Coordinates of all heavy atoms in Angstrom, one line a residue:
A195 N 83.8 114.5 101.4 CA 84.4 113.3 100.8 C 85.5 113.8 99.9 O 85.4 115.0 99.4 CB 83.4 112.5 100.0
V196 N 86.5 113.0 99.7 CA 87.7 113.4 98.8 C 88.0 112.3 97.8 O 88.0 111.1 98.1 CB 88.9 113.7 99.7 CG1 90.2 113.9 98.8 CG2 88.7 114.9 100.6
L197 N 88.2 112.7 96.6 CA 88.6 111.8 95.5 C 90.0 112.2 95.0 O 90.3 113.3 94.6 CB 87.6 111.9 94.3 CG 88.1 111.2 93.0 CD1 88.3 109.7 93.3 CD2 87.1 111.4 91.9
V198 N 90.9 111.2 95.1 CA 92.3 111.3 94.6 C 92.3 110.6 93.3 O 92.1 109.3 93.3 CB 93.3 110.8 95.6 CG1 94.7 110.9 94.9 CG2 93.3 111.7 96.8
N199 N 92.7 111.3 92.2 CA 92.7 110.6 90.9 C 94.1 110.9 90.3 O 94.4 112.0 89.9 CB 91.6 111.2 90.0 CG 91.6 110.5 88.6 OD1 92.1 109.4 88.4 ND2 91.0 111.1 87.6
I200 N 94.9 109.9 90.3 CA 96.3 110.0 89.8 C 96.7 109.1 88.7 O 96.4 107.9 88.7 CB 97.3 109.7 91.0 CG1 97.1 110.7 92.2 CG2 98.8 109.7 90.5 CD1 97.4 112.1 91.9
F201 N 97.3 109.7 87.6 CA 97.8 108.9 86.5 C 99.4 109.0 86.6 O 100.0 110.1 86.5 CB 97.4 109.5 85.2 CG 98.0 108.7 84.0 CD1 97.5 107.4 83.7 CD2 99.1 109.2 83.3 CE1 98.1 106.7 82.6 CE2 99.7 108.5 82.3 CZ 99.1 107.2 81.9
G202 N 100.0 107.9 86.9 CA 101.4 107.8 87.1 C 102.2 107.8 85.7 O 102.4 106.7 85.2
G203 N 102.5 108.9 85.2 CA 103.3 109.0 84.0 C 104.7 109.4 84.4 O 105.6 108.6 84.5
I204 N 104.9 110.7 84.6 CA 106.2 111.2 85.1 C 106.5 110.6 86.5 O 107.5 110.2 86.8 CB 106.2 112.7 85.1 CG1 106.0 113.3 83.7 CG2 107.5 113.2 85.7 CD1 105.8 114.8 83.7
M205 N 105.4 110.6 87.3 CA 105.5 110.2 88.7 C 105.0 108.7 88.8 O 103.9 108.4 88.3 CB 104.6 111.1 89.6 CG 104.7 110.8 91.0 SD 103.9 112.2 92.0 CE 102.4 112.5 91.0
Q206 N 105.8 107.9 89.5 CA 105.4 106.5 89.6 C 104.3 106.4 90.7 O 104.2 107.1 91.6 CB 106.6 105.7 90.0 CG 107.7 105.6 89.0 CD 108.9 104.9 89.4 OE1 109.1 104.7 90.6 NE2 109.7 104.4 88.5
C207 N 103.4 105.4 90.5 CA 102.3 105.2 91.4 C 102.7 104.8 92.8 O 102.1 105.1 93.8 CB 101.3 104.1 90.8 SG 100.3 104.7 89.4
T208 N 103.9 104.1 92.8 CA 104.4 103.7 94.2 C 104.8 105.0 95.0 O 104.5 105.0 96.2 CB 105.6 102.8 94.0 OG1 106.6 103.4 93.1 CG2 105.3 101.4 93.5
T209 N 105.3 106.0 94.3 CA 105.7 107.2 94.9 C 104.5 107.9 95.5 O 104.4 108.4 96.6 CB 106.4 108.1 94.0 OG1 107.6 107.5 93.5 CG2 106.8 109.4 94.7
I210 N 103.4 108.0 94.6 CA 102.2 108.7 95.1 C 101.5 107.9 96.2 O 100.9 108.5 97.1 CB 101.3 109.1 93.9 CG1 100.2 110.1 94.3 CG2 100.7 107.8 93.3 CD1 100.7 111.4 94.8
A211 N 101.5 106.6 96.1 CA 100.8 105.8 97.1 C 101.5 106.0 98.4 O 100.8 106.1 99.5 CB 100.9 104.3 96.7
N212 N 102.8 105.9 98.5 CA 103.5 106.2 99.8 C 103.2 107.6 100.3 O 103.0 107.8 101.5 CB 105.0 106.0 99.6 CG 105.4 104.6 99.5 OD1 105.0 103.7 100.3 ND2 106.3 104.2 98.6
A213 N 103.2 108.6 99.4 CA 102.9 109.9 99.8 C 101.5 110.0 100.3 O 101.2 110.7 101.3 CB 103.1 110.9 98.6
L214 N 100.5 109.4 99.7 CA 99.1 109.4 100.1 C 99.0 108.8 101.5 O 98.3 109.4 102.4 CB 98.2 108.6 99.2 CG 97.9 109.3 97.8 CD1 97.2 108.3 96.9 CD2 97.0 110.5 98.1
V215 N 99.6 107.7 101.8 CA 99.5 107.0 103.1 C 100.1 107.8 104.2 O 99.5 108.0 105.2 CB 100.2 105.6 103.0 CG1 100.3 105.0 104.4 CG2 99.4 104.7 102.1
E216 N 101.3 108.4 103.9 CA 101.9 109.2 104.9 C 101.2 110.5 105.2 O 101.0 110.9 106.3 CB 103.4 109.6 104.4 CG 104.2 110.2 105.5 CD 105.7 110.4 105.1 OE1 106.1 109.6 104.2 OE2 106.3 111.3 105.7
A217 N 100.7 111.1 104.1 CA 99.9 112.4 104.2 C 98.6 112.1 105.0 O 98.2 112.9 105.8 CB 99.6 113.0 102.9
Y218 N 98.0 111.0 104.7 CA 96.7 110.6 105.4 C 97.0 110.6 106.9 O 96.2 111.1 107.7 CB 96.2 109.3 104.9 CG 94.9 108.8 105.4 CD1 93.7 108.9 104.6 CD2 94.8 108.3 106.7 CE1 92.5 108.5 105.1 CE2 93.5 107.9 107.2 CZ 92.4 108.0 106.4 OH 91.2 107.5 106.9
K219 N 98.0 109.9 107.3 CA 98.4 109.7 108.7 C 98.7 111.1 109.3 O 98.4 111.4 110.5 CB 99.5 108.8 108.9 CG 99.2 107.3 108.5 CD 100.4 106.4 108.6 CE 100.1 105.0 108.3 NZ 101.3 104.1 108.4
T220 N 99.4 111.9 108.6 CA 99.8 113.2 109.1 C 98.7 114.2 109.3 O 98.6 114.8 110.4 CB 100.9 113.9 108.2 OG1 102.0 113.0 108.0 CG2 101.3 115.2 108.7
V221 N 97.8 114.2 108.4 CA 96.7 115.2 108.4 C 95.6 114.7 109.3 O 95.0 115.5 110.1 CB 96.1 115.4 107.0 CG1 94.9 116.3 107.0 CG2 97.2 116.1 106.1
G222 N 95.2 113.4 109.2 CA 94.1 112.9 110.0 C 92.8 113.1 109.3 O 92.2 114.2 109.5
F223 N 92.4 112.1 108.6 CA 91.1 112.3 107.8 C 89.9 112.1 108.6 O 89.8 111.1 109.5 CB 91.1 111.3 106.6 CG 91.5 111.9 105.3 CD1 92.8 112.3 105.1 CD2 90.6 112.1 104.3 CE1 93.2 112.8 103.9 CE2 90.9 112.7 103.1 CZ 92.3 113.1 102.9
N224 N 88.9 112.9 108.4 CA 87.6 112.7 109.1 C 86.4 112.6 108.1 O 85.3 112.7 108.4 CB 87.3 113.8 110.0 CG 87.4 115.2 109.4 OD1 87.6 115.3 108.2 ND2 87.2 116.2 110.2
V225 N 86.8 112.4 106.8 CA 85.8 112.2 105.7 C 86.3 111.0 104.8 O 87.5 110.7 104.8 CB 85.7 113.5 104.8 CG1 85.2 114.7 105.6 CG2 86.9 113.8 104.1
P226 N 85.4 110.4 104.1 CA 85.8 109.3 103.2 C 86.8 109.7 102.2 O 86.7 110.8 101.6 CB 84.5 108.8 102.6 CG 83.4 109.3 103.5 CD 83.9 110.6 104.1
L227 N 87.8 108.8 101.9 CA 88.8 109.1 100.9 C 88.8 108.0 99.8 O 89.0 106.8 100.2 CB 90.2 109.2 101.5 CG 91.4 109.3 100.5 CD1 91.3 110.5 99.7 CD2 92.7 109.3 101.3
V228 N 88.5 108.4 98.6 CA 88.5 107.4 97.5 C 89.7 107.7 96.6 O 90.0 108.8 96.2 CB 87.2 107.5 96.6 CG1 87.3 106.6 95.4 CG2 86.0 107.3 97.5
V229 N 90.5 106.6 96.3 CA 91.7 106.8 95.5 C 91.6 105.9 94.2 O 91.3 104.7 94.3 CB 92.9 106.4 96.3 CG1 94.2 106.4 95.4 CG2 93.1 107.3 97.5
R230 N 91.9 106.5 93.1 CA 92.1 105.8 91.8 C 93.5 106.0 91.3 O 93.9 107.2 91.1 CB 91.0 106.3 90.8 CG 91.1 105.7 89.4 CD 91.7 106.6 88.4 NE 91.6 106.0 87.0 CZ 91.9 106.7 85.9 NH1 92.3 108.0 86.0 NH2 91.9 106.1 84.8
L231 N 94.2 105.0 91.1 CA 95.6 105.0 90.5 C 95.6 104.3 89.2 O 95.0 103.2 89.0 CB 96.6 104.4 91.5 CG 96.8 105.0 92.9 CD1 97.8 104.2 93.6 CD2 97.4 106.4 92.7
E232 N 96.4 104.9 88.3 CA 96.6 104.3 87.0 C 98.0 104.7 86.5 O 98.5 105.7 86.9 CB 95.6 104.7 85.9 CG 94.2 104.2 86.1 CD 94.1 102.7 86.0 OE1 95.0 102.0 85.5 OE2 93.0 102.1 86.4

């Protein structure tokens, strides 16, 4: 299982969200992914 924990200070949450979605599709996940954004 994977936990992504991101605080958008310097980096905006929209940027990391788009990166997460694209990376997820590129890599191909086979385990649960939990994401917390603030």
Side-chain angles (χ1 to χ4, degrees):
V196 172
L197 171 58
V198 174
N199 184 20
I200 298 293
F201 178 78
I204 300 173
M205 181 169 46
Q206 296 175 338
C207 288
T208 49
T209 302
I210 193 64
N212 282 317
L214 285 172
V215 171
E216 189 173 337
Y218 184 103
K219 293 177 179 178
T220 301
V221 175
F223 259 71
N224 54 4
V225 300
L227 172 62
V228 178
V229 174
R230 178 254 186 171
L231 293 178
E232 293 292 348

